[in-house]
C-alpha cells in the first residue's frame, strides 16, 4: 500500500482520502481533502435541478415524501411481489380518494341547504286583516246591461234544468228604465251540456278563436261551478265596457258592513281601514293598524261584528253567504281568491295566529329575490313584492302581448285596455288557454317570478260557536240595530245575518327558518382533509409534493424529447455529409451520463446528484 508523502498531505489541504486494506474494507483519511477548485465545482448547483431518470425521480419522491405508503415502494424494491402489491395499494388509494373527491365536489356544486329552525320572542307587528262582504254590487252605469245578462242566464238555466226563476226583487229605477245604448251580448256562448260518449256528463260552455278553427271547452261535473264561471265570463264583458265601473264600485259604506270593531280593548278608528272593491267578493275593508302586539290572547287581538246579509245583487255570481277574510302582511296585496277563507253567518269564529318567518339564501343556493328591483317583471300593484303579485303581473302582461287586451280583475299596464267580446271577440279563448298554461307551468312566469328571500307566513287555527245564542239573540240584535240601521232584532231570521270574528296572536313567540349551506368553503376543505388523511395520512404540503412530482416528470419528459430531437437532427446531418456526427464540445465531455444531461439540457438545468436522493439508508 502506498502512502502519501507529508508534503503532498500538506498540499492537499486536508482532503479526505479512501484506501483499501487487505481485508477489502475502505479506510477514510479525514486529513486529505480535494483541491479547492474541485470542491467548488461539486458544491456548485444550478437554478433548477432535474433527475437523470424516472426511476431516480420516483425513488427520491417515495423516499422523501410524507405520504404514507410511498416509502414501502423503495424499501420493498428487492421483492417484486411486494413492490407490485404496494404499488397497487397506493394507486388504488389514490383512485378511491379522487373518486370521493369527485362525489364531494358534485354535491358541493349542487349547493344544497339545510333549514335551521329557531324560536324568537321579539315583538311583531299585528298583521293586516282584509274582510269582504261577498256581495258584488251592480255599478249604476252597468245596471241595465247586468239586467239583460241576468235574463239571458235565466233562459240558459231554464232550458237545461226546467227551473223557473222567481221575479227579480231588484226593481229598476225610473232612470234605469229609460232607453239604454245598444249592448253587445255574445249569445253564441251559451251554457250547455258537454258530454262525450261513454264519459261523465258535464255542463259548461265552448270558446273558439277568431277563425273558429280552434275551440276549447270550459266544463265541469258541478253545474253550479260551471254556471258561475259562465256568468263571470259575461260579467267581465259587461264591466269592461263601462269606464266608470271601478269608480262606482269603490263607493261603499264601511259602517254598513262592520258593525263594531275593537283592537286591544280599544275602539278602531276610521284611519285604520282601507277600502277597495273586488268584482267577485264585493266591498272589502283592510284593517291596517300598524302596532306591535304586546300581549297574547283573545282580548288582545281584533274583534269585529260583521253584517252578513244575503243581499244577492248578483245571485249567479255570488253563491255564498257570510264574509271573506284574509290575514296577510302589511303593504301586501290581498288575493282573496287564492288565500282567503269564508266566515259563516250566525257564528263566532275565533282565529289564533302563529307566525313563521323564512329567510332564504340567494344565489347560487336558491333563486329568490330581495324585492321587486331584482325581478324583470314590472309589478302592477303598488305594494311590496310577493310571489302571487308577480305571477299576476306576469300573466297580465302576457295577456296584453298575446290577446291584445287585459283581464278585468287585474290592473292594466300603461297603454292597454280591458278585454271585451265587443272589441276582442276571441279574448275568452286566449285567456283560458293562457290560464291553463300557467297552471301547468308552461308559461315563463314561474321562472321569472322567484320567491322572496324573506317572507312571513301565518299559521291559523280556527274554532267556531253559535252566535248569538238563542237566549241572548234578541237583545244583542236589538243593540246592534241602534246604529242608524233598521232593527236587527225585530226581523225574523236576522240572527243568521250577523257574524263575529276574533283574531289574535296565539303566542308571541315566532319561528324563524334560516337556510344555511351544507358545504361552505371551510366545511368543504375540512371534508377534503378528512378524506386525504383517511387514505394517505398526510397534509396540504403533501399535495404540493405531488405537484412537484408532476412538474419534475413533465420537465424530464420535455428535456428527453429535446435531446432526442437534437440527436435525430445530428444523425440526419451526418448521413447527408457522409461524416461521423459530432456534437460541438462533445470531445471534451466526460463519460458520466449526468454530465451529458447537464450539458445537453436547457441552460440552468443541472441534474440532481443521485447520492443525495438515495433512500437506502432509510430502509
Amino acid at each position: 500500500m502506498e502512502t502519501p508523502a507529508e508534503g503532498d498531505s500538506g498540499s492537499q489541504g486536508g482532503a479526505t482520502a479512501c484506501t483499501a486494506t487487505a481485508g477489502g474494507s475502505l479506510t477514510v483519511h479525514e486529513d486529505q481533502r480535494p483541491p479547492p477548485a474541485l470542491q467548488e465545482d461539486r458544491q456548485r448547483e444550478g437554478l433548477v435541478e432535474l433527475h437523470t431518470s424516472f426511476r431516480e425521480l420516483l425513488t427520491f419522491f417515495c423516499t422523501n415524501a410524507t405520504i404514507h405508503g410511498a416509502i414501502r415502494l423503495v424499501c420493498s424494491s428487492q421483492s417484486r411481489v411486494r413492490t407490485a402489491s404496494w404499488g397497487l395499494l397506493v394507486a388504488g388509494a389514490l383512485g378511491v380518494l379522487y373518486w370521493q373527491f369527485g362525489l364531494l365536489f358534485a354535491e358541493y356544486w349542487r349547493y344544497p341547504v339545510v333549514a335551521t329552525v329557531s324560536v324568537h320572542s321579539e315583538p311583531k307587528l299585528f298583521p293586516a286583516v282584509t274582510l269582504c262582504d261577498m256581495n258584488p254590487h251592480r255599478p249604476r252605469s252597468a245596471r241595465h246591461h247586468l239586467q239583460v245578462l241576468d235574463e239571458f242566464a235565466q233562459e240558459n238555466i231554464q232550458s237545461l234544468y226546467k227551473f223557473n226563476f222567481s221575479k227579480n226583487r231588484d226593481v229598476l229605477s225610473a232612470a234605469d228604465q229609460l232607453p239604454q245604448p245598444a249592448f253587445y251580448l255574445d249569445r253564441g256562448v251559451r251554457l250547455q251540456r258537454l258530454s262525450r260518449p261513454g264519459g261523465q256528463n258535464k255542463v259548461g260552455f265552448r270558446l273558439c278563436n277568431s277563425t273558429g278553427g280552434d275551440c276549447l271547452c270550459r266544463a265541469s261535473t258541478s253545474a253550479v261551478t260551471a254556471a258561475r264561471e259562465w256568468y263571470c265570463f259575461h260579467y267581465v264583458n259587461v264591466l269592461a265596457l263601462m269606464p266608470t265601473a271601478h269608480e262606482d264600485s269603490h263607493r261603499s259604506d264601511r259602517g254598513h258592513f262592520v258593525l263594531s270593531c275593537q283592537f286591544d280593548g280599544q275602539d278602531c278608528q276610521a284611519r285604520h281601514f282601507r277600502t277597495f272593491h273586488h268584482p267577485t267578493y264585493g266591498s272589502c275593508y283592510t284593517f291596517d293598524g300598524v302596532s306591535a302586539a304586546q300581549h297574547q290572547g283573545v282580548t288582545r287581538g281584533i274583534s269585529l261584528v260583521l253584517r252578513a246579509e244575503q243581499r244577492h245583487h248578483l245571485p249567479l255570481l255570488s253563491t255564498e253567504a257570510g264574509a271573506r277574510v284574509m290575514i296577510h302582511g302589511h303593504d301586501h296585496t290581498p288575493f282573496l281568491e287564492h288565500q282567503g277563507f269564508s266566515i259563516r253567518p250566525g257564528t263566532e269564529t275565533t282565529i289564533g295566529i302563529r307566525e313563521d318567518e323564512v329567510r332564504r339564501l340567494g344565489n347560487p343556493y336558491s333563486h329568490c329575490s330581495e324585492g321587486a328591483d331584482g325581478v324583470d317583471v314590472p309589478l302592477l300593484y303598488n305594494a311590496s313584492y310577493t310571489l302571487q303579485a308577480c305571477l299576476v303581473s306576469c300573466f297580465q302582461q302576457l295577456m296584453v302581448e298575446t290577446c291584445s287586451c287585459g283581464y278585468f280583475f287585474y290592473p292594466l299596464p300603461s297603454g292597454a285596455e280591458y278585454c271585451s267580446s265587443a272589441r276582442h271577440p276571441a279574448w275568452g279563448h286566449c285567456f283560458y288557454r293562457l290560464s291553463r298554461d300557467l297552471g301547468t307551468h308552461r308559461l315563463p312566469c314561474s321562472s321569472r317570478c322567484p320567491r322572496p328571500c324573506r317572507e312571513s307566513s301565518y299559521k291559523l287555527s280556527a274554532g267556531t260557536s253559535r252566535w248569538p245564542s238563542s237566549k241572548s239573540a234578541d237583545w244583542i240584535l236589538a243593540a246592534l240595530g241602534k246604529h242608524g240601521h233598521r232593527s236587527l232584532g225585530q226581523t225574523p231570521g236576522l240572527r243568521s245575518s250577523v257574524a263575529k270574528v276574533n283574531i289574535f296572536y296565539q303566542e308571541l313567540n315566532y319561528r324563524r327558518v334560516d337556510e344555511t349551506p351544507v358545504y361552505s368553503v371551510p366545511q368543504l376543505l375540512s371534508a377534503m382533509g378528512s378524506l386525504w388523511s383517511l387514505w394517505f395520512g398526510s397534509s396540504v404540503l403533501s399535495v404540493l409534493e405531488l405537484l412537484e412530482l408532476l412538474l419534475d416528470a413533465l420537465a424530464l419528459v420535455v428535456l428527453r424529447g429535446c435531446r432526442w430531437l437534437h440527436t435525430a437532427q445530428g444523425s440526419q446531418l451526418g448521413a447527408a455529409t457522409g461524416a461521423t456526427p459530432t456534437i460541438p464540445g462533445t470531445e471534451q465531455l466526460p463519460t458520466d451520463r449526468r454530465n451529458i444531461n447537464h450539458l445537453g439540457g436547457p441552460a440552468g438545468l443541472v441534474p440532481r446528484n443521485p447520492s443525495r436522493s438515495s433512500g437506502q439508508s432509510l430502509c
Side-chain angles (χ1 to χ4, degrees):
M1 180 177 63
E2 183 178 353
T3 58
E6 294 182 359
D8 295 337
S9 176
S11 62
Q12 294 293 330
T16 303
C18 299
T19 58
T21 61
S25 61
L26 292 177
T27 302
V28 181
H29 300 278
E30 296 294 340
D31 56 343
Q32 298 182 2
R33 299 180 182 272
L38 181 59
Q39 185 176 1
E40 293 178 359
D41 291 339
R42 291 183 178 179
Q43 293 179 353
R44 185 181 305 163
E45 296 182 354
L47 179 62
V48 179
E49 293 186 358
L50 292 179
H51 297 274
T52 58
S53 64
F54 289 103
R55 178 184 294 274
E56 180 186 345
L57 176 62
L58 183 61
T59 301
F60 175 80
F61 172 78
C62 294
T63 305
N64 297 276
T66 57
I67 298 177
H68 290 184
I71 188 63
R72 301 297 301 175
L73 295 175
V74 179
C75 296
S76 60
S77 58
Q78 296 180 356
S79 175
R80 294 184 178 180
V81 176
R82 290 185 178 181
T83 302
S85 300
W86 279 102
L88 291 176
L89 287 176
V90 173
L94 188 64
V96 173
L97 172 68
Y98 283 99
W99 170 65
Q100 292 187 348
F101 274 179
L103 296 179
L104 181 62
F105 276 102
E107 182 70 14
Y108 173 76
W109 284 323
R110 286 180 56 245
Y111 300 108
V113 297
V114 60
T116 304
V117 181
S118 57
V119 179
H120 301 263
S121 58
E122 303 171 1
K124 299 289 289 187
L125 292 178
F126 197 83
V129 180
T130 297
L131 309 102
C132 298
D133 60 6
M134 300 183 70
N135 283 309
H137 308 309
R138 298 174 183 264
R140 187 175 184 85
S141 58
R143 188 167 298 179
H144 173 77
H145 306 300
L146 291 177
Q147 184 69 25
V148 176
L149 175 59
D150 287 345
E151 295 174 358
F152 182 54
Q154 293 174 8
E155 295 176 6
N156 281 264
I157 295 178
Q158 185 175 1
S159 63
L160 285 176
Y161 301 104
K162 310 303 180 184
F163 175 79
N164 292 325
F165 281 83
S166 60
K167 187 177 181 180
N168 198 319
R169 291 176 294 179
D170 294 330
V171 180
L172 297 179
S173 61
D176 297 328
Q177 292 177 353
L178 295 177
Q180 298 290 334
F183 166 60
Y184 175 77
L185 180 63
D186 191 359
R187 295 181 177 271
V189 182
R190 301 183 60 88
L191 191 63
Q192 54 188 321
R193 297 186 185 275
L194 302 172
S195 58
R196 297 179 180 179
Q200 193 174 9
N201 292 331
K202 293 184 178 182
V203 178
F205 55 101
R206 187 188 305 272
L207 296 171
C208 300
N209 60 359
S210 56
T211 61
D214 184 17
C215 297
L216 59 86
C217 298
R218 298 292 298 179
S220 174
T221 55
S222 173
V224 176
T225 303
R228 186 173 182 271
E229 186 174 3
W230 172 84
Y231 188 92
C232 185
F233 170 75
H234 289 288
Y235 175 66
V236 169
N237 284 327
V238 172
L239 296 184
L241 294 176
M242 303 292 106
T244 59
H246 280 285
E247 299 177 5
D248 294 342
S249 299
H250 287 172
R251 299 173 184 174
S252 56
D253 183 11
R254 178 181 63 85
H256 184 82
F257 175 56
V258 181
L259 298 178
S260 68
C261 174
Q262 283 189 335
F263 176 69
D264 198 11
Q266 303 294 327
D267 291 337
C268 303
Q269 304 296 325
R271 56 184 174 85
H272 294 158
F273 286 90
R274 291 184 288 108
T275 305
F276 65 96
H277 184 81
H278 193 278
T280 304
Y281 297 109
S283 299
C284 299
Y285 309 90
T286 299
F287 175 78
D288 201 5
V290 181
S291 59
Q294 301 294 337
H295 304 280
Q296 61 187 24
V298 179
T299 59
R300 296 296 187 173
I302 183 173
S303 179
L304 303 107
V305 178
L306 308 175
R307 185 188 295 268
E309 287 183 319
Q310 302 180 22
R311 298 179 295 119
H312 288 164
H313 289 255
L314 296 172
L316 292 178
L317 183 65
S318 177
T319 58
E320 300 177 72
R324 191 75 172 179
V325 180
M326 178 180 171
I327 299 173
H328 54 92
H330 294 276
D331 200 23
H332 286 178
T333 303
F335 293 93
L336 296 145
E337 61 274 20
H338 299 288
Q339 302 169 347
F341 56 93
S342 299
I343 298 297
R344 180 182 177 182
T347 60
E348 180 178 4
T349 305
T350 303
I351 302 173
I353 304 174
R354 291 182 179 179
E355 185 175 356
D356 290 343
E357 183 179 343
V358 180
R359 295 187 177 184
R360 300 182 179 92
L361 295 175
N363 290 329
Y365 297 98
S366 63
H367 184 46
C368 67
S369 175
E370 293 289 348
D373 296 336
V375 182
D376 61 347
V377 177
L379 292 184
L380 301 179
Y381 297 92
N382 188 20
S384 299
Y385 176 84
T386 59
L387 177 60
Q388 192 64 40
C390 181
L391 291 175
V392 170
S393 301
C394 178
F395 178 82
Q396 185 74 314
Q397 288 184 350
L398 290 177
M399 272 286 299
V400 173
E401 295 173 1
T402 308
C403 310
S404 302
C405 59
Y407 189 50
F408 182 78
F409 283 11
Y410 305 144
L412 273 180
S414 59
E417 61 180 1
Y418 285 115
C419 295
S420 177
S421 297
R423 295 190 294 254
H424 312 89
W427 80 267
H429 176 272
C430 182
F431 166 74
Y432 285 111
R433 187 170 294 277
L434 282 179
S435 299
R436 184 186 60 187
D437 292 342
L438 180 65
T440 55
H441 302 284
R442 296 179 182 176
L443 296 182
C445 295
S446 299
S447 59
R448 296 176 62 187
C449 294
R451 297 174 298 176
C453 292
R454 291 190 180 185
E455 66 175 337
S456 296
S457 60
Y458 299 97
K459 308 300 181 183
L460 310 179
S461 57
T464 60
S465 61
R466 187 176 181 180
W467 186 87
S469 64
S470 57
K471 298 295 183 180
S472 59
D474 295 337
W475 76 266
I476 289 179
L477 294 176
L480 291 175
K482 292 181 180 179
H483 300 283
H485 308 290
R486 60 191 177 90
S487 177
L488 297 175
Q490 297 177 358
T491 305
L494 281 184
R495 180 184 162 278
S496 60
S497 298
V498 293
K500 187 176 182 181
V501 183
N502 301 314
I503 302 174
F504 64 98
Y505 264 117
Q506 193 168 356
E507 58 182 28
L508 294 181
N509 296 333
Y510 69 94
R511 297 189 308 171
R512 193 173 76 186
V513 182
D514 295 288
E515 287 185 350
T516 56
V518 175
Y519 288 107
S520 60
V521 174
Q523 291 171 333
L524 177 65
L525 295 178
S526 177
M528 293 177 60
S530 300
L531 291 176
W532 188 271
S533 299
L534 173 65
W535 294 103
F536 286 103
S538 54
S539 63
V540 176
L541 296 180
S542 304
V543 181
L544 300 180
E545 292 176 354
L546 281 176
L547 180 61
E548 182 186 15
L549 174 65
L550 294 177
L551 294 178
D552 288 345
L554 181 62
L556 190 57
V557 168
V558 172
L559 180 60
R560 289 203 167 191
C562 293
R563 289 184 56 229
W564 180 81
L565 290 176
H566 189 68
T567 304
Q569 292 176 357
S571 300
Q572 294 176 358
L573 181 61
T577 58
T580 302
T582 58
I583 301 175
T586 54
E587 66 277 359
Q588 299 178 359
L589 293 178
T591 58
D592 187 25
R593 182 179 302 175
R594 290 170 295 173
N595 295 334
I596 294 176
N597 290 340
H598 168 59
L599 295 177
L605 297 181
V606 181
R608 188 185 299 274
N609 191 350
S611 62
R612 297 173 54 191
S613 61
S614 177
Q616 299 297 331
S617 60
L618 299 179
C619 301

